[in-house]
Amino acid sequence: MSGTERITQELCEESELNEGEMREFDVQGQTILLVKSNGVFTAVGSKCTHYGAPLSKGVLSGNRIRCPWHGACFNIETGDIEEYPGLDSLPCFEVTVENGKVLLNANRKALENPKRVKEMSRHYNGDRTNIVLIGSGPAALVCAETLRQEGYKGRIVMVTREKHLPYDRTKLSKAMNVKAKDIYLRSEDFFSSYDIEVWTEKEVVSINTDEGKVKFRDNSTLQYSQLLIATGSRPRELTCPGSSLQNVFLLRSPDDANAISEAAIGKNVVIMGTSFIGMEVAAFLSDKASSVSVIGRSEFPFQAVLGPKVGEVAMKLLQEKGVSFYSRTEAREIRGENGQVREVVLRNGSKLPADVVVAGIGVTPASNFLKGSRIAVDTRGAIFVDQFMRTSVPDVYAAGDVVSFPLSIMEGHRVNIGHWQMAHSHGRIAALNMLNKQVPVDSVPFFWTSLLGKSLRYTGYGEGYTSIELKGNLEELKFLAFYIKDDYVVAVSSMNYDPVVAQVAEVMSSGRRITKNEVLEEDFLSLIAK
């Protein structure tokens, strides 16, 4: 059959769909999503292009759908991705109404492909400009793709110290034995098709902004017309004695994840820190290692961000799988024999057997190479950018985990956010402003963690919250936690309560603030959805 073959199929009676309703239909063995919004019928692919969530379970707001799992948004009229995570848009289909019946007209090829790559330009030799992107995470990748989608025809060079093409870093702590090539975000052919150069194993050591030049560790240099710094963050290193022993690991790359996964099988593992990454590593190794012990300074994991009660839920989940927790303490020393880890000594002198130690004590912005440059950074090393992702130096932009930026839902308060979703958004905004579009960043933070098959979702910015309002049942792992500051909701987390976090993200995106009183109402979900 030809991929250009046209298919026409009756879906339903016009009166069957209510205003604001989304419904899946089977068309020639493929599922499409029919939407009725403002009296108009539209049809797009039914699954989020990020991880395949059913969009019919998501949130419809005006002319866009927000994914219930991780918050990506798609335009229902064009199928275009408008908020992240994910890279691809949805296929979009023609819908007509004839004699009270809703008809779908589709190209077979579009129907069979659940993802659509936006049209992109290529390099034109007559364009002598050169945009250099330092880093290969989602900020750099989305920046490169957005530039081509917007018709940029100059040279694009993505440089990275890693040996891999851009990959899904979120999977490193959730599926540690994964092969790097299985989590590549784009293939080598994709990059060559759109003339996006990717230079691997090229570490930047300095930037000369006066000359518009990047210098690498091998002493080679690269000239740029415009520059994006998207180097992300790096794991904090342990400082206690014994940190340099063999089998003391940081988790940064697929190679690190694979090495930890292999070394841990049937062994005693100690994880330093109750960060999201540390907890995900503990969950993954819980049925593979002989023992898993987690050391944390707080009483419960995630306590500062999610609060003690939600943190306790996460702790109990892992304890039920045999993970041991040592709270309100830290390692005094790591001891070994013949250069190999053997035990971890806690502050009170007690000892934990350890063949493998994994550090999960947080991250810092990866910006050391900027020392001596004119690019302004804060005391932690995060690069100052404005709402257009511009640094203190003309033609130099920065995005992702490495920046301090003004958060729109916090009235421009400066934040440094290490979310996968936010890095995507930053990359797009940086690209648009490199092309003088004057588009500010206005994304609502959205992140998730996954422990033993249970997903915990979060949106907003809860730093400095003063109280938490809980809904549902923590013990049944079905709950909502609203984080309150000055009588307003500043963030929400959930487990098994979709699509409420996506709903709250959409409300925050609209500029409306949810009050504490609304949350306390019995019909709070309908109030939020208004």
Side-chain angles (χ1 to χ4, degrees), residues 402-418:
V402 76
V403 305
S404 167
F405 73 101
L407 184 62
S408 58
I409 63 165
M410 295 295 290
E411 299 174 340
H413 171 68
R414 284 198 162 276
V415 296
N416 171 240
I417 292 178

Side-chain angles (χ1 to χ4, degrees), residues 85 119 174 199 281 300 318 422 442 464 500:
E119 283 190 23
K174 299 176 180 74
W199 294 8
V281 170
F300 301 108
L318 268 64
M422 190 59 78
D442 65 354
V500 177

Side-chain angles (χ1 to χ4, degrees), residues 308-345:
K309 290 185 177 178
V310 176
E312 188 177 13
V313 168
M315 178 188 273
K316 284 181 175 176
L317 261 179
L318 268 64
Q319 284 175 328
E320 286 169 8
K321 289 291 183 179
V323 176
S324 300
F325 283 84
Y326 298 84
S327 301
R328 291 188 288 192
T329 188
E330 58 190 337
R332 191 173 76 194
E333 181 185 1
I334 303 171
R335 291 179 181 165
E337 287 177 16
N338 302 319
Q340 169 78 44
V341 173
R342 281 292 170 260
E343 64 184 15
V344 173
V345 183

Side-chain angles (χ1 to χ4, degrees), residues 216-399:
F216 300 100
R217 187 162 296 286
D218 61 10
N219 283 324
S220 63
T221 58
L222 178 62
Q223 209 80 30
Y224 65 82
S225 310
Q226 294 184 96
L227 179 69
L228 177 76
I229 303 168
T231 42
S233 54
R234 54 188 172 82
R236 289 184 188 276
E237 296 188 9
L238 297 172
T239 55
C240 62
S243 299
S244 59
L245 285 167
Q246 193 177 337
N247 278 9
V248 176
F249 292 98
L250 298 174
L251 176 55
R252 170 70 184 167
S253 69
D255 301 338
D256 295 333
N258 293 171
I260 294 167
S261 179
E262 289 170 21
I265 295 172
K267 303 291 186 177
N268 298 309
V269 178
V270 173
I271 295 166
M272 308 273 210
T274 51
S275 64
F276 289 97
I277 286 176
M279 290 290 285
E280 288 176 359
V281 170
F284 179 80
L285 296 178
S286 62
D287 62 350
K288 300 169 185 68
S290 173
S291 70
V292 177
S293 304
V294 179
I295 303 169
R297 288 182 176 178
S298 58
E299 187 172 358
F300 301 108
F302 315 150
Q303 187 166 328
V305 177
L306 301 181
K309 290 185 177 178
V310 176
E312 188 177 13
V313 168
M315 178 188 273
K316 284 181 175 176
L317 261 179
L318 268 64
Q319 284 175 328
E320 286 169 8
K321 289 291 183 179
V323 176
S324 300
F325 283 84
Y326 298 84
S327 301
R328 291 188 288 192
T329 188
E330 58 190 337
R332 191 173 76 194
E333 181 185 1
I334 303 171
R335 291 179 181 165
E337 287 177 16
N338 302 319
Q340 169 78 44
V341 173
R342 281 292 170 260
E343 64 184 15
V344 173
V345 183
L346 299 182
R347 195 168 53 201
N348 65 2
S350 59
K351 299 168 186 175
L352 306 179
D355 305 299
V356 174
V357 172
V358 183
I361 56 171
V363 295
T364 55
S367 61
N368 286 357
F369 63 95
L370 295 179
K371 283 177 182 169
S373 79
R374 293 195 293 115
I375 298 165
V377 300
D378 68 12
T379 53
R380 291 183 61 250
I383 302 169
F384 284 114
V385 294
D386 64 10
Q387 61 185 332
F388 305 110
M389 312 316 294
R390 299 178 299 201
T391 70
S392 56
V393 177
D395 295 321
V396 179
Y397 297 75

Side-chain angles (χ1 to χ4, degrees), residues 50-51 167-175 280 420 448:
H50 179 226
Y51 282 174
Y167 58 85
D168 188 344
R169 190 181 300 280
T170 66
K171 294 205 172 150
L172 295 187
S173 49
K174 299 176 180 74
E280 288 176 359
W420 188 247
W448 70 97

